[in-house]
Every structure is written in structure tokens, then in C-alpha cells.
Amino acid sequence: MSTINIIKDKARELGTTQADALQPIRSAALASFDKLGVPAVKHEEWKYTRISQLFNQSYKIGTDTVDSKLNWELFRLPEFETANELVFINGVYNAAASTVRSAGLVVLPLEEAAKGEYASIVSKHLGHSAEYLKDGINALNTSFLVGGVFIGVNRSTEIEHPVYIYTINDGRAENVFAQPRTLVHVAANAGVMFVETYGSIGHADHFTNQVMEVVVEQDARIEYYKIQNDHAGASLVSTTHFRQVGKSYVHAVTISLNGAMVRNNLNMVMEAEYCESNMYGLYFTSDSCHVDNHTIVDNAKPHCLSNEYYKGILDGASTGVFNGKIFVRQDAQKINAFQSNKNILLSDTASVYTKPQLEIFADDVKCSHGCTIGRLDEEGLFYLRSRGITEATAKSLLLHSFAVDILEQVKPDAIRVYIDQLISERLGSYYGNAYPI
Amino acid sequence: MLQIKDLQAGIEGKEILKGINLTIQPGEVHAIMGPNGSGKSTLASVLAGRSDYEVTGGSVEFLGKDLLDLSPEARAGEGLFLAFQYPVEIPGLSTINFMKTAVNEVRKYRGQEALDAAEFLKLMKEKMNLVNIDKNLLTRSLNEGFSGGEKKRNEVFQMAMLEPRLAILDETDSGLDIDAIRIAAAGVNAVRSKENATLVITHYQRLLDYIVPDFVHVLYNGRIVKSGGKELALELEETGYSFLKNEMNIA
Ligand SMILES: Nc1ncnc2c1ncn2[C@@H]1O[C@H](COP(=O)(O)OP(=O)(O)O)[C@@H](O)[C@H]1O
Ligand SMILES: [Mg+2]
């Protein structure tokens, strides 16, 4: 039986074993997946990312039981001792491994949240991303809505400690297909910071198809950092869908350093006036790593501001894709939307596809976009070398300085230093010369 | 310390330097003057090792070594320094971090121990005072958004930090007002010694009031067409370069 049919069977089976409040959503999504299927390369949004090839191998489906002694702690982020830690193993939230320590932070299984005091929030927002991502990949995640979590931040609460999310796959015995699901609700005037990282135990191939939906209410603030540095057999589709339902602030930074096929869908739906959202990204790839960043900014109301800045360094036979959609609807007057994508190609076999897509239906707006693809600056290289800096170190310094303005957008010091170290180590291993920090 | 013999170089098949001969001894200051486009910056770039230029003939010996055989970084390690006519802007790299790396790489090349943070800071403070450069400038991205004068001052600061044996200053005075020229010259004079030499490339004689040369050469159309003492610079100031063209035409 083909992998897709096994997956569908498993989803159908869930329909008989899980008689909870989410079952109607699952069934609808499965019907939708049946219809849409896995996007082929002729699908405009998946032109450069051959997602269908990931279904050519077999997987253990991640809703099955997991080893409770799994050493996920390997992937802990700096200052975890004081952080909230949410652990997903093979796509399923693992409450025993997780720690929720901040007052005002609520973490519940989605099935439970769907029927308690958060029921109306769940029914209103769960699945909203499907309106923007009308493809089988998004539907597939929803058809497996099991073991997901609801994360609530109570009104007027500044969550003191960061929320770390670990998405871990256990690939010691077999390939894993994991589909974590999260719904985050940041209530009015609340503030919270997330840092998410991904890891694998063992060396089997993985495919993680993740969906996170985030609702940001009036005067709420959220910072959201993603660090993708998994092994070369780990593929990931990571959808993060923000709904700014009130005047609010979102600051998102996506750092992609390794993986097999990585696709990020980052959506900012700005449904209220005076929203601000920042979207930054850095991808630094080599070998056959493929990183695709698809972003959508949807301006529905006036006076919003969005800043989008992605940078890429591509080596080996790696591929980078950047697609930035900006919609400005008729009522969204006086919005500002900036977008920029800059790339450095380090090898002749690396490639990058970059495409801005602006659809503007309001007349009094400020939008700008630009993209560049270039090589390492020869002038700069000579300038540095003329001061006695070896070619290797000069390259490291130049690439590091290229990445700096994205790194600076990672506001928590410990996390920024951690990412900086990952990048510096990479640069060091690359040029056989440790970059001096 | 530097012997240039019949140096010929060009770019993309275009001949620019057509046989340069120049010898510089330790302790000397040489000035090269000449109209725009005569090849002054090309000579400086070839000496510093810019690979765009192709050397098609001649030789250059620096402190007993074949200079043309060395990488740009090795030339710096041997003690050559070029203050760029057009310093490069590098967003995201501060002058401080740049110099920290450069000073220690040069020290490594010379078999010296790396400076630790405190030692580096001390050296930096000393040189900052010498060239009167503001600390704020040094923490900003290298040359990015600097005025012409600030860029030139930063070049002199880098020179002071690296303590070269031979400093080549390519139009370091252009973009500077007279006070800044005085300070830049003070920086150059402070690192001058019996062992070190300086090659000043300039358009105007005014810099030479502050950095007094032992020899002045006129570069024109890829050749040194005239050499003399410091009075040659004054002479050029009065008569301009037009006489050269006449002389060349006759010759
Ligand atoms: N990178 C280059 N590409 C093409 N031509 C060049 C390049 N650099 C210099 N030249 C040419 O070489 C000649 C000498 O230039 P340059 O050395 O900059 O002169 P100077 O510094 O004396 O003004 C000029 O005709 C200039 O146009
Ligand atoms: Mg010049």
C-alpha cells in the first residue's frame, strides 16, 4: 500500500477511536485532503519544493506510542532552567516531559480546550489557516488533530519566562511522520515570547508537518523565534499562522541552518487597525539542503505596518526559495509594508528563487519590495585581506556581517548568542578557521 | 626595502602601468603625483595584491621577498599597508572587530602572541588619540555612511593600528579639510621611523607641507616621467601638469 493510503487509513481510524469534540474538524479535513491530495510541482505555491517526493517512503505515523525515556534534553535551549518547556515527540505533546511554570500561561490538550472555558476560542480560530493555505498539506495536518495543545496567555499578563517548544522525532528505529498542532491565544494586553527548536534522535528520515495558529488580541505582544538546524534527512513543513484580531505587535524571526526539505509558511493576517508585524529570516544552507520561506501579509484594515526582511547564504547544491505575498485590501488605507530579500550564492551549484507578490487594492499606501542575488563581495574581501586577514577568515567575517542585521532581531541575549554560535561554528567548519567572536 | 623594476600591469587586456622603476629605502618618504588616470591607484593596488590587475612584466622586491608572489594578507603580514583611495563599506562589521581580527592575524603571521582584550583596548585607545578618531565611529559598521573625511581618518587609524614597515597612502588627503590633513599627517609622522618608509600618492602639494617627502615622482600615462626632491612638488603646484603633456609630446 502506498504511503499516502496508509496515512489516510490511519486518519480514518482516528475517526473511530477519537470520539471527541474535534472529530468533525478532522473528518472535514480528511475529506478535503482526499480531494486536494499532495501538491504536485505544478501547484503554483509548491513549484520549487517537491513535497510529493517525501511520500515515496514509508513512515511510522507519529500518533503511536513513544519511548518515555527518550533523551530529548539534548536539544534544550540556553537558560531552560527558568523557561517554560513544551515537548512534542513524534508530533504528540508530551505533558510528562513538559514544564509550565509561569502564572497566566495555560497549556491544555486541544481536545480538552475544545470543550471547556476556551471552547469558543477554539471553535473560532482552530483551522483558520486553511483559508490561506488551500492545499492538501495543511488539510493533512488537520485530519490528524491528535495530541495537539492549546496555549493560552491570560489577559494583561506579561509571561515572565520564555516558552520553549521542542519538536523532537525519535528516529532510532524507523522513519517518522509527525504532525504537531498548536493553537495559541494571546489575550488582550498580554505579552509572551516563544522559541522553537527541532531535533532528531537517531538518523532515520523524518517528515514533520506542523501547524501552529496564533491569535493575538488587542494590545497584545508576541515574539516568536524558530531555529531549524535538524539533520540532513529531516524534512519539515512548518506553518505559523498569525491572526492579529486587535491592534497588536508580532515579531517573528526564522533561522534555518539545516534539514532536508524545509518549508516555512508564515502568515500575518492583520485584521485590526494599527497592527505591527515584523518578519525576519536567515537561511544558511549547504549540501543538498532546501529551504523555502513562503510568507503572506494580509492587510485588511488601515494604518498597519509590516516589515519583512529575509537573507540567505547558499552553498553546495542547496536551494533557497523566498516567496513574499502582500495583500492590501480596499479598506487598508495608509498601511506601510516593506519587504526585502537578499541572497549570497557561494557556489555555482547553489540556487535561489525569489519572488515578491504584491496585490494592492487601496490607493493611499506605502509598499516597497526588493530582492538581490549576488556573490561574496570581492572588493570587501580584498579590503579585509589587505589588512592581513587570511582569505578564510575574511570570508567568515563577511558572511557573518551579512547575517548580523537578522541576528540582531533576535532580542533575548541568550538565544541570540546561541544562534550566533551555531552560525560561527558553521563558518568555522566551512573555512577551516574559527571565526573569532 | 622596496625595489620596483620595469613593472607592467593592466586590466582586461588594457595596459595601464608601462614600466615603473622605483626604489624606496628605509626611513624615506616618497611622493607620487600626477594627473587623474595616470595609473597611481593601479600601482598602489598592484603592490597591495589586488587580483583584478594582471602583472604582465617586471618585478617587485619587498624586504628581500618577491612581493608579487605573496597573497594580499601575506603582504600585510610582511609590513605593507595601503590606505585606500576609496575605502570599502562593510555593513555589519565594526571597525573594532575588524581591527581586532586584523591585528591578531598579522601578529600570528609574524609569530607573535595574540593580544588579549585588555591589551587590544590599550593599543586602540593609544591609536585613537593619535589620529583623533571618535570611538562611536569605530563601533559603527565599517565605513558605512561615513563621510569622505571619516573614511580617510579610519584608514589612517588602521595604519596606526597595524604599524606597517611601508605605508602607501592613496589620496588620503582628498576629502579632508586642512585640520584633518594636519591630523592625518601627524598620524603618519608618528609612525615614521628609520626602519619605516612611506609612499604618499597625492594630487595636491598641500599634504606635502605636513608630510615632507625626500623624493617626488611624477607618474604620467603609466610611467614615472620625472623625479626630484621636494621642490618638484612646489614646481608642479605652480605650473600644473600641462607642461608634462607638452614635454611628452615633444619626446
Ligand atoms: N578596474 C578598472 N577597470 C578598467 N579600467 C581601469 C580600472 N582601474 C583603472 N582603470 C583605468 O586605468 C587608468 C589608471 O587609473 P588609476 O590607476 O585609477 O589612475 P589614478 O589613480 O592615477 O587616477 C585609467 O584610465 C582608468 O580608467
Ligand atoms: Mg587614484
Side-chain angles (χ1 to χ4, degrees):
Chain A
M1 200 163 32
S2 78
T3 298
I4 289 193
N5 285 333
I6 294 171
I7 290 170
K8 281 184 186 170
D9 275 2
K10 189 83 187 176
R12 257 179 234 116
E13 188 188 315
L14 286 176
T16 59
T17 57
Q18 308 276 324
D20 56 57
L22 300 178
Q23 187 47 38
I25 303 179
R26 283 187 209 107
S27 313
L30 182 58
S32 162
F33 177 61
D34 261 333
K35 201 169 77 204
L36 294 165
V38 172
V41 286
K42 62 175 188 289
H43 191 299
E44 188 57 32
E45 304 304 329
W46 294 90
K47 200 167 165 183
Y48 302 109
T49 301
R50 297 172 169 274
I51 197 73
S52 57
Q53 78 187 31
L54 296 180
F55 292 85
N56 291 340
Q57 53 183 325
S58 61
Y59 297 97
K60 170 189 159 94
I61 312 261
T63 52
D64 301 342
T65 50
V66 296
D67 175 0
S68 60
K69 291 200 211 50
L70 191 72
N71 189 18
W72 66 272
E73 289 94 339
L74 283 173
F75 299 101
R76 279 184 145 163
L77 292 164
E79 300 183 353
F80 68 85
E81 298 89 342
T82 54
N84 299 285
E85 294 185 290
L86 311 185
V87 182
F88 288 80
I89 293 171
N90 293 356
V92 174
Y93 179 63
N94 192 312
S98 302
T99 308
V100 177
R101 60 174 86 239
S102 295
L105 181 71
V106 177
V107 179
L108 292 172
L110 259 175
E111 292 85 348
E112 214 172 292
K115 55 190 188 202
E117 79 176 278
Y118 300 101
S120 67
I121 292 172
V122 172
S123 74
K124 194 165 157 195
H125 298 290
L126 187 67
H128 189 264
S129 59
E131 289 183 24
Y132 287 79
L133 304 164
K134 295 181 169 64
D135 62 46
I137 291 296
N138 188 267
L140 182 56
N141 177 289
T142 308
S143 69
F144 271 82
L145 247 174
V146 181
V149 286
F150 171 81
I151 303 172
V153 180
N154 289 348
R155 169 180 279 273
S156 300
T157 317
E158 186 72 44
I159 300 298
E160 191 190 344
H161 306 295
V163 182
Y164 290 173
I165 299 181
Y166 303 97
T167 301
I168 310 295
N169 288 330
D170 177 6
R172 288 172 300 179
E174 49 191 322
N175 298 344
V176 174
F177 179 49
Q179 301 205 87
R181 182 72 175 231
T182 319
L183 175 65
V184 180
H185 181 255
V186 190
N189 198 31
V192 64
M193 180 182 104
F194 287 90
V195 184
E196 194 176 7
T197 188
Y198 302 79
S200 304
I201 315 253
H203 294 284
D205 289 353
H206 305 298
F207 177 18
T208 301
N209 178 26
Q210 174 190 39
V211 175
M212 186 183 214
E213 292 168 318
V214 188
V215 184
V216 196
E217 301 275 359
Q218 182 73 22
D219 296 316
R221 302 159 301 280
I222 179 170
E223 284 175 46
Y224 182 93
Y225 304 101
K226 245 183 222 282
I227 306 165
Q228 299 167 333
N229 192 27
D230 211 341
H231 70 68
S235 290
L236 171 68
V237 176
S238 176
T239 296
T240 316
H241 180 78
F242 287 92
R243 272 185 98 170
Q244 295 183 271
V245 295
K247 166 184 175 277
S248 56
Y249 173 83
V250 179
H251 182 86
V253 184
T254 308
I255 308 283
S256 310
L257 302 175
N258 204 10
M261 182 184 288
V262 176
R263 162 68 169 254
N264 292 302
N265 293 311
L266 177 60
N267 302 342
M268 291 288 171
V269 184
M270 304 169 98
E271 299 175 24
E273 291 187 35
Y274 297 101
C275 285
E276 180 178 341
S277 63
N278 296 313
M279 312 156 85
Y280 294 95
L282 174 71
Y283 41 100
F284 182 4
T285 56
S286 54
D287 302 313
S288 57
C289 178
H290 176 106
V291 174
D292 174 350
N293 282 291
H294 262 64
T295 66
I296 297 174
V297 177
D298 185 3
N299 285 278
K301 288 276 155 61
H303 303 290
C304 290
L305 167 67
S306 63
N307 285 303
E308 182 171 11
Y309 193 12
Y310 275 72
K311 282 183 143 180
I313 301 171
L314 300 111
D315 195 23
S318 69
T319 309
V321 181
F322 175 80
N323 183 290
K325 281 199 183 67
I326 298 176
F327 299 117
V328 184
R329 297 183 192 261
Q330 210 165 356
D331 291 340
Q333 300 294 358
K334 304 220 183 295
I335 62 101
N336 282 284
F338 303 107
Q339 183 188 91
S340 172
N341 174 231
K342 293 185 177 165
N343 298 281
I344 293 183
L345 293 177
L346 293 178
S347 85
D348 293 333
T349 44
S351 40
V352 67
Y353 304 93
T354 172
K355 184 175 171 192
Q357 247 177 298
L358 277 61
E359 290 183 28
I360 303 172
F361 301 100
D363 45 29
D364 185 14
V365 301
K366 244 191 222 148
C367 291
S368 71
H369 65 90
C371 52
T372 61
I373 302 172
R375 299 257 162 197
L376 200 62
D377 174 26
E378 286 294 328
E379 288 280 310
L381 198 58
F382 175 63
Y383 190 53
L384 265 52
R385 293 178 72 190
S386 79
R387 272 37 174 165
I389 299 173
T390 57
E391 186 174 5
T393 307
K395 282 183 178 170
S396 283
L397 274 179
L398 285 178
L399 290 175
H400 189 270
S401 60
F402 176 75
V404 153
D405 48 4
I406 302 300
L407 271 174
E408 280 170 352
Q409 295 300 332
V410 179
K411 296 181 200 174
D413 291 339
I415 300 298
R416 188 182 55 255
V417 168
Y418 171 76
I419 296 169
D420 198 344
Q421 247 151 19
L422 293 177
I423 291 170
S424 299
E425 272 164 29
R426 168 81 69 87
L427 287 170
S429 71
Y430 238 63
Y431 294 111
N433 199 330
Y435 162 72
I437 300 173
Chain B
M1 67 177 3
L2 183 77
Q3 275 101 33
I4 306 177
K5 288 191 184 137
D6 194 31
L7 180 65
Q8 296 153 51
I11 192 159
E12 288 157 11
K14 178 180 167 183
E15 198 185 11
I16 303 173
L17 301 181
K18 300 167 184 168
I20 302 277
N21 290 289
L22 180 66
T23 298
I24 298 178
Q25 303 293 346
E28 292 177 352
V29 174
H30 289 242
I32 291 186
M33 303 183 75
N36 266 335
S38 54
K40 304 184 294 296
S41 292
T42 301
L43 175 62
S45 296
V46 168
L47 293 178
R50 188 191 284 270
S51 60
D52 319 4
Y53 295 97
E54 194 195 349
V55 175
T56 50
S59 65
V60 182
E61 198 181 297
F62 178 58
L63 296 170
K65 292 203 166 127
D66 179 358
L67 187 73
L68 301 177
D69 219 29
L70 301 177
S71 66
E73 54 268 35
R75 297 179 196 204
E78 294 292 336
L80 189 88
F81 181 90
L82 169 62
F84 282 48
Q85 180 174 8
Y86 303 109
V88 183
E89 297 187 6
I90 304 192
L93 177 63
S94 70
T95 305
I96 294 182
N97 280 341
F98 172 39
M99 277 297 107
K100 213 181 272 173
T101 311
V103 165
N104 280 333
E105 291 238 347
V106 164
R107 291 181 68 87
K108 189 164 140 197
Y109 183 91
R110 294 174 187 165
Q112 298 163 320
E113 292 262 318
L115 296 185
D116 64 26
E119 290 166 329
F120 176 79
L121 220 63
K122 186 165 163 277
L123 177 71
M124 201 179 77
K125 285 220 172 97
E126 183 192 315
K127 304 302 185 185
M128 271 166 57
N129 288 336
L130 187 66
V131 303
N132 199 11
I133 194 165
D134 194 60
K135 174 121 194 252
N136 284 333
L137 214 56
L138 302 182
T139 56
R140 279 168 45 186
S141 280
L142 183 57
N143 293 324
E144 192 189 31
F146 284 24
S147 72
E150 286 169 338
K151 286 182 182 169
K152 295 306 172 75
R153 201 175 291 213
N154 194 313
E155 293 293 290
V156 179
F157 168 71
Q158 292 172 35
M159 181 196 72
M161 289 294 289
L162 294 171
E163 299 174 338
R165 297 289 310 277
L166 173 66
I168 304 170
L169 307 172
D170 190 359
E171 308 241 7
T172 300
D173 49 340
S174 57
L176 294 186
D177 60 29
I178 200 72
D179 282 339
I181 287 181
R182 217 178 266 140
I183 291 161
V188 173
N189 289 328
V191 297
R192 238 169 120 166
S193 75
K194 280 206 294 290
E195 289 82 45
N196 300 342
T198 312
L199 178 60
V200 185
I201 294 171
T202 183
H203 233 71
Y204 310 103
Q205 102 80 36
R206 58 178 189 173
L207 177 64
L208 304 178
D209 288 342
Y210 300 97
I211 307 174
V212 181
D214 301 301
F215 301 94
V216 175
H217 312 276
V218 179
L219 187 66
Y220 179 68
N221 202 10
R223 286 192 182 89
I224 289 177
V225 294
K226 198 165 187 170
S227 294
K230 61 175 183 267
E231 62 294 335
L232 178 56
L234 289 167
E235 200 181 300
L236 287 170
E237 183 82 349
E238 302 230 321
T239 57
Y241 293 112
S242 53
F243 83 96
L244 276 174
K245 293 177 188 164
N246 299 336
E247 236 169 66
M248 293 302 290
N249 287 342
I250 294 158

